[in-house]
């Protein structure tokens, strides 16, 4: 008996969302099959990989990163430029660690200034992330959305606590893209999308950050949440969950012990920065095969590896 | 598993507003009811133009095109005893959002409507009755089988047949209610789809009781396997019940605002 190829057809399709402007702008989404299942149907846009930079100097991460980016010194815009020119990520994620009121508590004006300089130096799309203080992030996001009008940036993220302010300013007033963050809670993921919709934000302006975890740190919850989302969005054609997914895996990966322990602490574990890269690559590719349409990594070696992985499978 | 399919019943020539709208070719009252039902969450709209013996073909084409043009090709159920009018309606029908549904065939005089649906690649409602009310479920299921065979001989996909167990009025036929639920379960066990005019059950009951009776009956029917119904989607209690059934059966994912969708 001959081999009969079966295909799995779904009713739903992931929305396409455009980030950035000009030649380096790109779309994500557009898939009506499981990730990379191009043999089943339309695999959509190729998944994208961005690099994380910070408004704080690279030395705040580790000596290894300070060494890697030493040419840029403490200038965030120069750092962004160096990353784009040397490593060619699909996008750059600028994270405002320094805005945290419990840390350096940089003013909103300072943050806007940095964001403008970075945006001027790069041509790839810009993703702006906050300090994880919801109130401060709302203020920073609103002002940055205004200052970078026309750049089509992604704001990472609107949460249950601040979606109104972030959604209204980011997407409605200044036409930027919004990520809806739901920390591995599938019902909240759907609810936030509904709430943003009720606020008047168009579906084409929303991406989901459904939460993440480094592999080995509860990642099974991340992957099962993504599975359930795809079952609803593709299988049940649930249009409140057909937003593409972005996962900032670097936010979690570099704070677990495999990445933090020095070689003096754990002599048997080998080179510290390589451990971080291994964790980052494992987490990023796991997210991509589970349903992420874009991931954010920190190390250029991770970027290179993950991009190669995507190209081979696409 | 698909979500429960809601067919809106409010464009019906039994309503004086719709009857005169059809007679005068006045679209406004028709569009108003179409919009109310779609806003309330109807998936399909039933369009009943009455017997329409005289000008049925023209009326059906007019109303199908008008509603589909105005409401992004909403899928429709073509409801009239005039076969030619149904065929004429299908000719101008846009299928982009779903096949037309013929309302209805039965196991008696109207069994040919199954062939009409098959010949036009339409779906059909198949009423499990011949003359009047089926005596018992043996008879109901025999009718169901007869119509299924007729459909399959004509090349229909059983998925395109919605079997109607015939809901009966509680006030007067209380003893028949459990039988109807059992018939739904049998149809469901055969892997077939089903539908029916639910509000029959509360006919004659005081107005304030009807939403409760309809809502409870739909929940019990869905649990028995009913896959769609012809209802008034503007009845909020009924729609909230249907949406909650979809949540409990895992056909839609829960979110705090699920009733607002």
């Amino acid at each position: 008996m001959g081999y009969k190829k079966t295909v799995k057809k779904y009713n739903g399709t992931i929305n396409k969302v455009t980030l950035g402007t000009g030649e380096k702008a790109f779309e994500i989404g557009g898939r009506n099959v499981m990730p990379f299942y191009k043999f089943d149907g339309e695999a959509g846009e190729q998944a994208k990989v961005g690099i994380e930079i910070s408004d704080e100097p690279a030395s705040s991460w580790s000596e290894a990163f300070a060494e890697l980016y030493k040419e840029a010194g403490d200038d965030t815009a120069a750092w962004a430029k160096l990353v784009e020119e040397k490593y060619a990520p699909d996008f750059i994620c600028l994270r405002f660690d320094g805005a945290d009121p419990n840390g350096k508590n940089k003013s909103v004006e300072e943050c806007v200034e940095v964001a403008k300089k970075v945006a001027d130096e790069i041509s790839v799309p810009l993703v702006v992330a906050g300090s994880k203080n919801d109130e401060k992030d709302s203020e920073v996001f609103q002002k940055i959305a205004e200052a970078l009008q026309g750049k089509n940036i992604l704001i990472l993220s609107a949460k249950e606590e601040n979606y109104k302010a972030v959604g209204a300013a980011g997407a409605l007033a200044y036409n930027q893209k919004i990520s809806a963050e739901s920390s591995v809670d599938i019902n909240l993921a759907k609810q936030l999308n509904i709430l943003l919709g009720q606020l008047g934000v168009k579906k084409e302006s929303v991406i989901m950050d459904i939460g993440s975890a480094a592999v080995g740190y509860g990642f099974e919850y991340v992957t099962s949440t993504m599975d359930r989302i795809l079952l609803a969005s593709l299988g049940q054609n649930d249009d409140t969950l057909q937003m593409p997914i972005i996962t900032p895996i670097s936010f979690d990966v570099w704070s677990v012990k495999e990445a933090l322990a020095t070689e003096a602490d754990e002599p048997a574990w080998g080179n510290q920065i390589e451990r971080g890269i291994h964790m980052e690559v494992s987490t990023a590719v796991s997210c991509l095969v589970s349903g992420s349409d874009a991931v954010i990594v920190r190390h250029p070696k991770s970027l290179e590896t993950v991009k190669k992985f995507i190209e081979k499978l696409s | 598993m698909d979500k429960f399919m809601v067919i809106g019943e409010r464009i019906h020539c039994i309503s004086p507003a719709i009857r005169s709208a059809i007679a005068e070719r006045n679209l406004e009252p028709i569009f108003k009811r179409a919009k109310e039902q779609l806003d309330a969450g109807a998936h399909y709209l039933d369009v009943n133009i009455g017997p329409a013996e005289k000008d049925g073909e023209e009326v059906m084409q007019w109303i199908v095109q008008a509603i589909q043009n105005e409401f992004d090709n909403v899928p429709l159920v073509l409801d009239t005893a005039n076969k030619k009018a149904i065929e004429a309606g299908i000719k101008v029908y846009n299928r982009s959002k779903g096949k037309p549904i013929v309302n209805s065939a039965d196991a008696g005089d109207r069994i040919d409507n199954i062939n009409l649906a098959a010949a036009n690649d339409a779906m059909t409602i198949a009423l499990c009755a011949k003359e009047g009310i089926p005596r018992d479920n043996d008879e109901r299921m025999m009718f169901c089988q007869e119509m299924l065979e007729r459909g399959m001989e004509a090349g229909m996909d059983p998925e395109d047949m919605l079997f109607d167990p015939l809901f009966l009025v509680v006030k007067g036929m209380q003893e028949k209610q459990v039988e109807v639920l059992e018939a739904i379960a049998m149809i469901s066990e055969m892997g077939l789809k089903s539908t029916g005019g639910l509000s029959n059950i509360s006919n004659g009951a005081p107005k304030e009781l009807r939403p409760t009776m309809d809502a409870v009956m739909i929940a019990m029917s869905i649990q028995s396997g009913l896959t769609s119904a012809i209802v008034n989607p503007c009845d909020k209690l009924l729609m909230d019940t249907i949406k909650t059934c979809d949540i409990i059966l895992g056909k839609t994912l829960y979110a705090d605002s699920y009733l607002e969708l």
Side-chain angles (χ1 to χ4, degrees):
Chain A
M1 211 163 81
Y3 168 70
K4 188 173 181 297
K5 187 169 169 269
T6 56
V7 295
K8 177 73 185 155
K9 290 269 175 231
Y10 294 99
N11 301 324
T13 302
I14 306 297
N15 301 334
K16 278 197 180 186
V17 177
T18 309
L19 290 184
T21 56
E23 270 181 36
K24 299 284 176 70
F26 59 75
E27 288 183 315
I28 55 173
R31 170 161 62 77
N32 67 4
V33 293
M34 297 302 261
F36 304 109
Y37 278 33
K38 58 185 175 186
F39 41 83
D40 269 352
E42 174 56 61
E45 298 295 324
Q46 195 163 320
K48 300 294 187 285
V49 192
I51 277 207
E52 176 189 356
I53 65 168
S54 174
D55 67 327
E56 293 286 278
S59 58
S60 67
W61 290 345
S62 72
E63 275 313 306
F65 278 105
E67 178 62 26
L68 183 67
Y69 292 131
K70 64 174 187 270
E71 288 166 53
D74 286 352
D75 180 343
T76 315
W79 183 1
K81 191 172 182 202
L82 185 158
V83 165
E84 174 166 332
E85 285 174 356
K86 201 159 171 187
Y87 303 113
D90 295 314
F91 61 95
I92 288 174
C93 172
L94 168 60
R95 194 176 176 196
F96 282 96
D97 298 296
D100 187 354
N102 303 313
K104 290 221 175 135
N105 197 19
K106 285 186 192 166
S107 72
V108 173
E109 291 69 32
E110 268 179 279
C111 297
V112 170
E113 222 26 62
V114 171
K116 273 161 80 173
K117 283 187 182 149
V118 167
D120 285 343
E121 284 298 332
I122 62 174
S123 58
V124 291
L126 179 64
V127 173
V128 170
S131 64
K132 299 222 175 246
N133 179 292
D134 300 338
E135 211 172 314
K136 180 69 173 284
D137 285 351
S138 289
E139 291 174 47
V140 170
F141 289 155
Q142 290 177 61
K143 291 291 178 194
I144 289 178
E146 181 182 0
L148 298 188
Q149 211 172 338
K151 295 274 187 186
N152 199 20
I153 64 168
L154 175 70
I155 294 170
L156 195 79
S157 293
K159 297 164 74 173
E160 197 178 15
E161 293 77 10
N162 63 9
Y163 78 92
K164 278 188 185 157
V166 176
L172 295 179
Y174 304 115
N175 224 5
Q176 313 284 13
K177 300 302 190 302
I178 297 288
S179 145
E181 180 180 338
S182 51
S183 352
V184 199
D185 175 341
I186 182 165
N187 301 114
L188 180 58
K190 176 164 172 168
Q191 179 67 6
L192 259 184
N193 291 341
I194 296 170
L195 293 171
L196 284 168
Q198 289 175 341
L199 197 64
V201 178
K202 293 193 302 262
K203 290 189 183 94
E204 298 71 31
S205 295
V206 182
I207 293 177
M208 293 189 279
D209 169 10
I210 63 110
S212 177
V215 282
Y217 290 83
F219 187 80
E220 55 274 39
Y221 294 103
V222 177
T223 190
S224 66
T225 300
M226 287 195 196
D227 268 353
R228 185 66 185 84
I229 286 177
L230 293 189
L231 186 67
S233 60
L234 300 178
Q236 298 176 325
N237 197 15
D238 186 336
D239 63 1
T240 62
L241 279 167
Q242 286 168 346
M243 290 70 183
I245 298 173
I246 186 166
T247 312
I249 61 117
S250 58
F251 297 8
D252 295 291
V253 161
W254 294 91
S255 56
V256 299
K257 69 173 186 294
E258 286 82 350
L260 285 177
T262 63
E263 282 157 69
D265 292 338
E266 295 288 352
W269 285 8
N271 181 283
Q272 185 188 348
I273 198 81
E274 278 182 19
R275 277 187 260 131
I277 295 167
H278 287 319
M279 285 299 283
E280 188 154 67
V281 169
S282 312
T283 307
V285 299
S286 303
C287 286
L288 289 167
V289 296
S290 300
S292 297
D293 300 280
V295 290
I296 299 169
V297 297
R298 192 178 276 185
H299 202 283
K301 185 73 194 164
S302 310
L303 171 82
E304 186 194 330
T305 312
V306 176
K307 282 215 69 86
K308 197 179 284 172
F309 171 85
I310 294 168
E311 271 153 28
K312 293 282 180 198
L313 281 189
S314 295
Chain B
M1 279 293 275
D2 291 337
K3 286 202 297 184
F4 189 79
M5 188 170 92
V6 175
I7 303 172
E9 68 184 6
R10 301 197 69 240
I11 301 176
H12 198 297
C13 79
I14 206 164
S15 140
I18 296 298
R19 194 166 51 233
S20 67
I22 291 174
E24 293 156 21
R25 301 289 190 273
N26 173 15
L27 288 166
E28 202 191 317
I30 295 167
F31 284 172
K32 183 166 171 282
R33 288 199 173 195
K35 183 172 190 313
E36 281 167 3
Q37 296 186 97
L38 292 170
D39 289 348
H43 303 117
Y44 261 84
L45 296 180
D46 187 276
V47 180
N48 180 305
I49 60 165
E53 280 157 10
K54 210 171 65 216
D55 52 1
E57 291 159 67
E58 188 229 320
V59 169
M60 192 59 101
Q61 292 202 331
W62 164 74
I63 203 164
V64 164
Q65 284 179 308
I67 296 174
Q68 285 204 315
N69 283 339
E70 184 74 12
F71 299 99
D72 192 23
N73 296 319
V74 56
L76 301 174
V77 177
L78 311 184
D79 189 357
T80 172
N82 182 341
K83 287 194 176 73
K84 287 217 158 85
I86 290 182
E87 277 186 313
I90 294 173
K91 278 204 185 82
V92 298
Y93 181 96
N94 182 313
R95 296 162 179 269
S96 61
K97 296 287 165 70
K99 288 183 183 182
I101 303 179
V102 175
N103 191 5
S104 61
D106 65 11
D109 292 347
R110 286 184 286 150
I111 197 157
D112 288 342
N113 275 347
I114 293 173
N115 301 76
L116 187 157
N120 291 284
D121 190 25
M123 295 169 69
T124 187
I125 293 174
L127 184 67
C128 299
K130 194 169 256 175
E131 283 152 12
I133 297 164
R135 196 170 53 238
D136 54 23
N137 275 347
D138 287 345
E139 202 173 82
R140 260 201 186 86
M141 298 316 292
M142 193 179 76
F143 295 152
C144 173
Q145 196 65 42
E146 278 175 30
M147 291 188 289
L148 178 63
E149 280 167 17
R150 173 71 79 113
M152 290 173 76
E153 277 165 20
M156 265 186 112
D157 182 347
E159 286 268 299
D160 284 340
M161 301 181 79
L162 306 178
F163 292 91
D164 181 346
L166 185 57
F167 285 98
L168 297 168
V169 63
V170 169
K171 195 174 171 181
M173 289 191 227
Q174 201 175 340
E175 75 287 357
K176 292 275 190 190
Q177 301 302 315
V178 172
E179 205 174 273
V180 174
L181 294 174
E182 285 167 356
I184 295 170
M186 287 189 265
I187 293 169
S188 168
E189 277 159 20
M190 291 167 72
L192 303 172
K193 290 185 172 176
S194 48
T195 194
L198 179 90
S199 57
N200 266 356
I201 70 127
S202 60
N203 252 333
K207 212 177 164 193
E208 67 275 17
L209 287 188
R210 298 194 65 177
T212 306
M213 293 177 74
D214 291 349
V216 173
M217 188 61 176
I218 199 97
M220 295 179 79
S221 301
I222 291 172
Q223 173 61 7
S224 301
L226 190 71
T227 61
S228 79
I230 307 166
V231 297
N232 174 8
C234 304
D235 175 349
K236 188 169 185 308
L237 180 62
L238 183 79
M239 288 302 283
D240 286 355
T241 305
I242 291 172
K243 288 172 186 173
T244 306
C245 287
D246 276 339
I247 292 284
I248 289 170
L249 294 176
K251 293 174 180 176
T252 43
L253 184 71
Y254 175 85
D256 289 344
S257 298
Y258 79 89
L259 290 180
E260 293 157 39
L261 296 175

